[in-house]
Amino acid sequence: MKLNEFLKSNNKKQLIGNTSVFADSIIEEFTIKNGGSFLISPIDIKKLVKELSIEEIIKSGEKYSNEIESVLFIYDLLKNTELEFFKENQISLSLAQEFYNLIQELKLTNYKEEAFNNNRLRDFLKIFKLYNEKHKGIDYGDSIKIALNFKDDQIERAIIENTDLRYYEEKLLNLLNVKTIELDKYEFNKKKTEIISAFLREMKF
């Protein structure tokens, strides 16, 4: 589906991209070229999942655990757990961040425990199990399972083609009947380059 087809109706809409900035840039470019105003907001998959799950999380009495809190929790686990591969001088916040990313990845995919067949992977599996056992609060991987029970809110949603999705993210979007927006390849690559260039300019001092 092309963006102009998606925007035909006057219903409230969301456009999902790898980042909300990227989705917003696509909407902005379309509006500049074609004129008009549209009831559409940009969003990324993480923000969408939180939006769909937060009400149920609050009702349950659980606390939503943000990424920083979860990374610090993993850092403490790494410091206080006997590991095969990772040595004390290798434990850092950056390693905890890496473990957090892998934990969320694992929560969002189907995995087999027998695949963890070396000491580095066994360390990760050990931390993963301890995290699931001891971590308090709902993290992103948990919240997406809650979002899978979300009832229709009459918002039309579409996702920009080639947006990165894991198993449960894709499952959620299928349940929400999210359409896919096709972009011209040149337009897509050009826009991606413009965003990266703008980001690099912002990073310069």
Side-chain angles (χ1 to χ4, degrees):
M1 171 182 272
K2 294 292 185 182
L3 187 55
N4 63 323
E5 296 171 45
F6 178 60
L7 293 173
K8 276 181 184 176
S9 77
N10 292 321
N11 298 336
K12 190 176 179 182
K13 299 176 179 69
Q14 288 180 328
L15 183 64
I16 305 161
N18 274 324
T19 66
S20 54
V21 172
F22 180 63
D24 187 48
S25 70
I26 297 297
I27 296 166
E28 183 183 15
E29 184 174 312
F30 181 88
T31 305
I32 290 168
K33 281 183 180 177
N34 299 279
S37 60
F38 306 96
L39 194 61
I40 184 169
S41 56
I43 198 165
D44 60 53
I45 187 69
K46 285 187 176 181
K47 287 176 186 171
L48 175 62
V49 167
K50 186 173 182 181
E51 196 175 276
L52 298 181
S53 62
I54 193 66
E55 190 175 329
E56 286 303 314
I57 292 170
I58 292 168
K59 278 183 190 175
S60 72
E62 293 278 3
K63 177 178 175 289
Y64 186 84
S65 177
N66 65 40
E67 187 169 325
I68 294 171
E69 291 169 333
S70 298
V71 168
L72 290 173
F73 182 80
I74 292 166
Y75 179 60
D76 283 337
L77 285 179
L78 287 167
K79 286 195 299 182
N80 296 297
T81 305
E82 190 175 331
L83 302 170
E84 290 183 60
F85 179 84
F86 293 98
K87 308 302 178 193
E88 189 177 346
N89 62 356
Q90 294 175 292
I91 306 304
S92 65
L93 283 171
S94 61
L95 181 65
Q97 179 69 58
E98 187 181 333
F99 269 60
Y100 172 82
N101 294 339
L102 287 169
I103 284 169
Q104 298 310 309
E105 192 74 34
L106 214 58
K107 283 189 172 193
L108 296 173
T109 55
N110 290 323
Y111 75 95
K112 294 181 179 178
E113 196 166 313
E114 55 266 28
F116 295 82
N117 53 13
N118 63 47
N119 56 2
R120 184 185 179 117
L121 291 175
R122 283 193 295 272
D123 279 354
F124 168 70
L125 188 60
K126 190 173 190 177
I127 295 296
F128 177 62
K129 287 180 175 179
L130 285 170
Y131 177 87
N132 286 335
E133 179 188 328
K134 297 183 175 183
H135 182 256
K136 303 297 182 189
I138 305 290
D139 66 12
Y140 177 66
D142 301 319
S143 63
I144 199 165
K145 311 283 177 61
I146 295 168
L148 286 169
N149 297 312
F150 183 76
K151 304 301 179 191
D152 184 25
D153 56 0
Q154 304 302 311
I155 296 176
E156 292 181 27
R157 295 180 175 90
I159 187 166
I160 299 165
E161 63 177 341
N162 299 318
T163 298
D164 299 323
L165 294 172
R166 279 78 64 93
Y167 173 77
Y168 281 107
E169 292 168 336
E170 195 167 341
K171 188 174 179 180
L172 173 65
L173 297 190
N174 287 337
L175 285 172
L176 294 171
N177 296 313
V178 173
K179 300 173 180 71
T180 300
I181 298 298
E182 299 168 5
L183 297 177
D184 175 78
K185 277 192 177 177
Y186 170 75
E187 177 188 12
F188 182 79
N189 290 328
K190 178 173 174 285
K191 179 55 62 181
K192 198 158 60 173
T193 303
E194 287 172 358
I195 290 169
I196 292 168
S197 299
F199 177 74
L200 290 173
R201 283 197 300 273
E202 288 291 323
M203 292 294 289
K204 288 180 181 176
F205 296 97

